[in-house]
Amino acid sequence: MNKKQYLKRLERALKNAPRRDREQYLDYYSELIDDAIENGRRERDIVAELESPETVAEQWLMERAGDDYVPPAPARPYRRSEPRVNRRERRSGGGGTVAKVAFSPLFLLLGFIACIVGLVTIIVWTTLIVAFFALTLGLGVGGVYMIVMSFGLFGENVSLALFQIGAGIALCGIGTFMEVFVILLAKSYAAMWRFIWRRNRSDSRRERGKSTLGTAIVGLVLVLVGGGMGTVFFGMLGFDYRNLAIVGEVNEKTLDISLEELDLLTLNADNLSITVIPSEEDGAKIVYNDFEKNPRTATFENGVITIDSGYGENSFKNAMSNAWNHGVFYSVVTLSYQNATLYLPEDYLGGLKISVNNGSVIIRDHSFDNVEIVTDNGMVKVSGVTCDLLSANVKNGAVSISDVTVETLSANTDNGAVTAERIIGKNISFFTKNGATSLLSVEGNRIEVKTSNGFVKVNRIISSDIYLEASNGAITGIIIGQISDYAIDAHTSNGTNNLNNKSDGDYSLYAHTSNGAISIEFVSA
């Protein structure tokens, strides 16, 4: 029996004693045992030499019956070599020193650092667990989705249906295998908290190991079975990704366009990439791919070309219908066919306006009055074009413009880079978010560049009015001209700057950035 057990039995034996008497007995025997331990005695040996808790209780009852009650002083199991000091006084004796250390600046600083490190550790650990759990859940849901959608394909293509089932099983297996990492992270996280709070775990390590190993084995078996099944039936599909969906026959269709007395040609398209090139023939036309399963509708009326996606209304219901009837990879497979070519005769010098949703725009080697391009989720590339006005507005795509002669050029993009090469114009401006801007051999009366979360690089540009602004990126490059001709306003935070501000000069250079350097050189032509 140890000290804790002895005192617990003593407290139970004295349950009928007044609280004051009971606390005196408990304090006395607690200090008695502690003093003996400090003198080198073993705890169990000390307790074995003491009276039993029941005997102590009987002594209390006998002494309680007398008139002059004094708490008992049982025989001590050892002889002290020094006078006994009250333990409560001993504990409080160093209180002042402890307080001084606890509230010292160094101790407080170390405590603050420890709290920050602990908080960061908890956040990172929690984020990893949530991320792996989300990945595991996504793989599992994706696998089940593929398996369920496979049953809609058995009527038309059994091999494709079985391939999707195999791929779905493999995804579920990967998700199950990833669950092992989630379990290990979660157990490590729980172990950290148990260590902090000094808690013991009830289940054995062997049981936990068996559970984790079993999960890993199940995941591996599913991956092997699903992967093997998917490989076999993908081979039956000719190992051609275009056979991973029921597209049906793909036909090339042509829509003739009349340009008589037309000053502006407008093209609106959905899920289609557009390429505009000169026509070797006299007339204008647009050539596009059409699907047997989801035919497109193309019309030309009052100078406006409209080509729909063929999918109908973009909705969750239509997406599920396409996956059930044509396969979960239908949108991926049809992507390689999602293009159209607009042929324009060289004598057409009117305007061109293109608006595309989920597609790119490419225009090559033509002259226009003006060109306006608007696209979502696609890039814009213009080369060899001459026009008065060129405007490009892009979301989630890059812009590339080269070999262009223009009066006014404006390019705006979100989440994409801008590249401009060999451009001659008057007013030239580029605006981008979350992308860099790079200019090579650009000449204009005014050149304006604004970018966020990206750098600005200019190489051999010529202009009397240069405006360069960036955030979280450097401004570097070469300007053709003499630095003495420019009034300079240059500023950066958290970076170096090789330009000195000055107000004299016929030309102007404005270069501002944050979190980046400025390095501009001036050279002769």
Side-chain angles (χ1 to χ4, degrees), residues 381-413:
K381 184 175 182 180
V382 180
S383 62
V385 170
T386 300
C387 59
D388 292 335
L389 170 65
L390 173 57
S391 172
N393 292 280
V394 182
K395 290 183 179 179
N396 301 319
V399 175
S400 176
I401 302 174
S402 61
D403 301 303
V404 169
T405 301
V406 64
E407 290 284 330
T408 302
L409 168 60
S410 175
N412 301 272
T413 178

Short mmCIF file of all heavy atoms in Angstrom, two decimals, residues 381-413:
data_model
loop_
_atom_site.label_atom_id
_atom_site.label_comp_id
_atom_site.label_asym_id
_atom_site.label_seq_id
_atom_site.Cartn_x
_atom_site.Cartn_y
_atom_site.Cartn_z
N LYS A 381 -4.09 35.88 -77.65
CA LYS A 381 -2.83 36.04 -78.39
C LYS A 381 -3.11 36.78 -79.68
O LYS A 381 -3.89 36.33 -80.52
CB LYS A 381 -2.20 34.68 -78.67
CG LYS A 381 -0.83 34.77 -79.34
CD LYS A 381 -0.21 33.39 -79.49
CE LYS A 381 1.19 33.49 -80.11
NZ LYS A 381 1.81 32.15 -80.26
N VAL A 382 -2.46 37.93 -79.84
CA VAL A 382 -2.64 38.76 -81.03
C VAL A 382 -1.28 39.01 -81.65
O VAL A 382 -0.34 39.44 -80.95
CB VAL A 382 -3.31 40.10 -80.68
CG1 VAL A 382 -3.49 40.95 -81.94
CG2 VAL A 382 -4.67 39.87 -80.01
N SER A 383 -1.14 38.77 -82.95
CA SER A 383 0.14 38.97 -83.62
C SER A 383 -0.09 39.40 -85.07
O SER A 383 -1.05 38.97 -85.71
CB SER A 383 0.99 37.69 -83.59
OG SER A 383 0.35 36.64 -84.28
N GLY A 384 0.78 40.29 -85.54
CA GLY A 384 0.72 40.73 -86.94
C GLY A 384 -0.53 41.51 -87.28
O GLY A 384 -1.04 41.42 -88.40
N VAL A 385 -1.04 42.30 -86.34
CA VAL A 385 -2.30 43.03 -86.52
C VAL A 385 -2.03 44.52 -86.58
O VAL A 385 -1.21 45.05 -85.81
CB VAL A 385 -3.29 42.70 -85.40
CG1 VAL A 385 -4.50 43.63 -85.44
CG2 VAL A 385 -3.74 41.24 -85.49
N THR A 386 -2.75 45.22 -87.47
CA THR A 386 -2.72 46.68 -87.56
C THR A 386 -4.13 47.20 -87.34
O THR A 386 -5.07 46.74 -88.00
CB THR A 386 -2.20 47.15 -88.92
OG1 THR A 386 -0.88 46.64 -89.12
CG2 THR A 386 -2.18 48.66 -89.00
N CYS A 387 -4.30 48.16 -86.41
CA CYS A 387 -5.62 48.70 -86.14
C CYS A 387 -5.49 50.02 -85.39
O CYS A 387 -4.41 50.36 -84.90
CB CYS A 387 -6.48 47.71 -85.35
SG CYS A 387 -5.78 47.23 -83.78
N ASP A 388 -6.60 50.72 -85.31
CA ASP A 388 -6.59 51.97 -84.55
C ASP A 388 -6.71 51.71 -83.05
O ASP A 388 -6.05 52.36 -82.24
CB ASP A 388 -7.75 52.88 -85.01
CG ASP A 388 -7.55 53.38 -86.43
OD1 ASP A 388 -6.39 53.43 -86.87
OD2 ASP A 388 -8.56 53.69 -87.09
N LEU A 389 -7.57 50.75 -82.68
CA LEU A 389 -7.80 50.46 -81.27
C LEU A 389 -7.77 48.96 -81.05
O LEU A 389 -8.42 48.20 -81.76
CB LEU A 389 -9.17 51.00 -80.83
CG LEU A 389 -9.66 50.58 -79.44
CD1 LEU A 389 -8.76 51.15 -78.36
CD2 LEU A 389 -11.11 51.02 -79.22
N LEU A 390 -6.99 48.54 -80.06
CA LEU A 390 -6.94 47.13 -79.67
C LEU A 390 -7.17 47.05 -78.17
O LEU A 390 -6.42 47.62 -77.38
CB LEU A 390 -5.58 46.51 -80.02
CG LEU A 390 -5.33 45.08 -79.52
CD1 LEU A 390 -6.39 44.13 -80.04
CD2 LEU A 390 -3.94 44.60 -79.92
N SER A 391 -8.25 46.34 -77.79
CA SER A 391 -8.61 46.22 -76.38
C SER A 391 -8.80 44.74 -76.05
O SER A 391 -9.48 44.02 -76.78
CB SER A 391 -9.91 46.99 -76.09
OG SER A 391 -10.37 46.73 -74.79
N ALA A 392 -8.19 44.31 -74.94
CA ALA A 392 -8.32 42.92 -74.51
C ALA A 392 -8.60 42.90 -73.01
O ALA A 392 -7.83 43.46 -72.22
CB ALA A 392 -7.05 42.13 -74.83
N ASN A 393 -9.70 42.25 -72.62
CA ASN A 393 -10.07 42.09 -71.22
C ASN A 393 -10.20 40.60 -70.93
O ASN A 393 -11.06 39.93 -71.51
CB ASN A 393 -11.39 42.80 -70.92
CG ASN A 393 -11.26 44.31 -71.00
OD1 ASN A 393 -10.79 44.96 -70.08
ND2 ASN A 393 -11.69 44.87 -72.14
N VAL A 394 -9.36 40.11 -70.03
CA VAL A 394 -9.26 38.68 -69.81
C VAL A 394 -9.38 38.38 -68.32
O VAL A 394 -8.82 39.10 -67.49
CB VAL A 394 -7.90 38.14 -70.33
CG1 VAL A 394 -7.82 36.63 -70.14
CG2 VAL A 394 -7.71 38.50 -71.80
N LYS A 395 -10.10 37.32 -68.01
CA LYS A 395 -10.16 36.80 -66.65
C LYS A 395 -9.57 35.39 -66.65
O LYS A 395 -9.95 34.56 -67.46
CB LYS A 395 -11.59 36.77 -66.12
CG LYS A 395 -12.19 38.14 -65.86
CD LYS A 395 -13.58 38.01 -65.27
CE LYS A 395 -14.18 39.39 -64.97
NZ LYS A 395 -15.55 39.29 -64.41
N ASN A 396 -8.65 35.17 -65.73
CA ASN A 396 -8.03 33.85 -65.58
C ASN A 396 -7.35 33.40 -66.87
O ASN A 396 -7.58 32.30 -67.37
CB ASN A 396 -9.07 32.80 -65.15
CG ASN A 396 -9.75 33.16 -63.85
OD1 ASN A 396 -9.11 33.62 -62.92
ND2 ASN A 396 -11.06 32.97 -63.79
N GLY A 397 -6.51 34.28 -67.40
CA GLY A 397 -5.77 33.93 -68.60
C GLY A 397 -4.69 34.94 -68.90
O GLY A 397 -4.72 36.07 -68.43
N ALA A 398 -3.72 34.52 -69.68
CA ALA A 398 -2.60 35.37 -70.05
C ALA A 398 -2.91 36.15 -71.33
O ALA A 398 -3.80 35.79 -72.11
CB ALA A 398 -1.34 34.54 -70.24
N VAL A 399 -2.12 37.22 -71.56
CA VAL A 399 -2.25 38.04 -72.76
C VAL A 399 -0.87 38.12 -73.43
O VAL A 399 0.13 38.44 -72.77
CB VAL A 399 -2.75 39.45 -72.44
CG1 VAL A 399 -2.75 40.32 -73.69
CG2 VAL A 399 -4.16 39.39 -71.85
N SER A 400 -0.84 37.84 -74.73
CA SER A 400 0.40 37.93 -75.49
C SER A 400 0.12 38.73 -76.76
O SER A 400 -0.73 38.35 -77.57
CB SER A 400 0.92 36.54 -75.84
OG SER A 400 2.06 36.62 -76.67
N ILE A 401 0.85 39.85 -76.93
CA ILE A 401 0.65 40.72 -78.09
C ILE A 401 2.02 40.97 -78.72
O ILE A 401 2.97 41.35 -78.03
CB ILE A 401 0.00 42.04 -77.68
CG1 ILE A 401 -1.35 41.79 -77.00
CG2 ILE A 401 -0.18 42.95 -78.89
CD1 ILE A 401 -2.00 43.02 -76.43
N SER A 402 2.12 40.77 -80.02
CA SER A 402 3.41 40.95 -80.70
C SER A 402 3.20 41.45 -82.12
O SER A 402 2.17 41.17 -82.76
CB SER A 402 4.19 39.63 -80.71
OG SER A 402 3.49 38.63 -81.41
N ASP A 403 4.19 42.22 -82.62
CA ASP A 403 4.21 42.69 -84.01
C ASP A 403 2.91 43.40 -84.36
O ASP A 403 2.22 43.07 -85.34
CB ASP A 403 4.45 41.52 -84.98
CG ASP A 403 5.77 40.82 -84.68
OD1 ASP A 403 6.81 41.50 -84.70
OD2 ASP A 403 5.74 39.61 -84.40
N VAL A 404 2.57 44.39 -83.53
CA VAL A 404 1.31 45.11 -83.69
C VAL A 404 1.60 46.60 -83.86
O VAL A 404 2.43 47.17 -83.16
CB VAL A 404 0.38 44.89 -82.47
CG1 VAL A 404 -0.79 45.85 -82.50
CG2 VAL A 404 -0.10 43.44 -82.43
N THR A 405 0.88 47.22 -84.81
CA THR A 405 0.91 48.67 -84.99
C THR A 405 -0.47 49.19 -84.65
O THR A 405 -1.47 48.76 -85.25
CB THR A 405 1.29 49.05 -86.42
OG1 THR A 405 2.57 48.50 -86.72
CG2 THR A 405 1.34 50.56 -86.59
N VAL A 406 -0.55 50.13 -83.69
CA VAL A 406 -1.84 50.50 -83.16
C VAL A 406 -1.79 51.94 -82.67
O VAL A 406 -0.73 52.44 -82.28
CB VAL A 406 -2.23 49.53 -82.01
CG1 VAL A 406 -1.25 49.64 -80.86
CG2 VAL A 406 -3.65 49.75 -81.54
N GLU A 407 -2.94 52.60 -82.71
CA GLU A 407 -3.03 53.94 -82.12
C GLU A 407 -3.15 53.83 -80.60
O GLU A 407 -2.39 54.44 -79.86
CB GLU A 407 -4.24 54.68 -82.69
CG GLU A 407 -4.11 55.07 -84.16
CD GLU A 407 -3.20 56.25 -84.34
OE1 GLU A 407 -3.12 57.10 -83.44
OE2 GLU A 407 -2.54 56.33 -85.41
N THR A 408 -4.11 53.04 -80.14
CA THR A 408 -4.36 52.86 -78.71
C THR A 408 -4.43 51.37 -78.41
O THR A 408 -5.17 50.62 -79.06
CB THR A 408 -5.67 53.53 -78.28
OG1 THR A 408 -5.61 54.93 -78.59
CG2 THR A 408 -5.92 53.35 -76.80
N LEU A 409 -3.68 50.96 -77.40
CA LEU A 409 -3.66 49.56 -76.98
C LEU A 409 -3.93 49.49 -75.49
O LEU A 409 -3.27 50.16 -74.69
CB LEU A 409 -2.30 48.93 -77.30
CG LEU A 409 -2.01 47.55 -76.68
CD1 LEU A 409 -3.03 46.53 -77.13
CD2 LEU A 409 -0.59 47.10 -77.03
N SER A 410 -4.90 48.66 -75.10
CA SER A 410 -5.24 48.47 -73.69
C SER A 410 -5.45 46.99 -73.44
O SER A 410 -6.28 46.36 -74.10
CB SER A 410 -6.50 49.26 -73.31
OG SER A 410 -6.88 48.99 -71.98
N ALA A 411 -4.70 46.44 -72.48
CA ALA A 411 -4.83 45.01 -72.15
C ALA A 411 -4.99 44.88 -70.64
O ALA A 411 -4.16 45.39 -69.88
CB ALA A 411 -3.62 44.23 -72.64
N ASN A 412 -6.04 44.22 -70.22
CA ASN A 412 -6.33 44.01 -68.80
C ASN A 412 -6.52 42.52 -68.55
O ASN A 412 -7.25 41.86 -69.30
CB ASN A 412 -7.60 44.74 -68.38
CG ASN A 412 -7.51 46.24 -68.61
OD1 ASN A 412 -7.05 46.97 -67.75
ND2 ASN A 412 -7.95 46.69 -69.77
N THR A 413 -5.90 42.02 -67.51
CA THR A 413 -6.08 40.60 -67.20
C THR A 413 -6.05 40.37 -65.70
O THR A 413 -5.36 41.08 -64.96
CB THR A 413 -4.99 39.74 -67.87
OG1 THR A 413 -5.18 38.37 -67.48
CG2 THR A 413 -3.60 40.18 -67.44
#
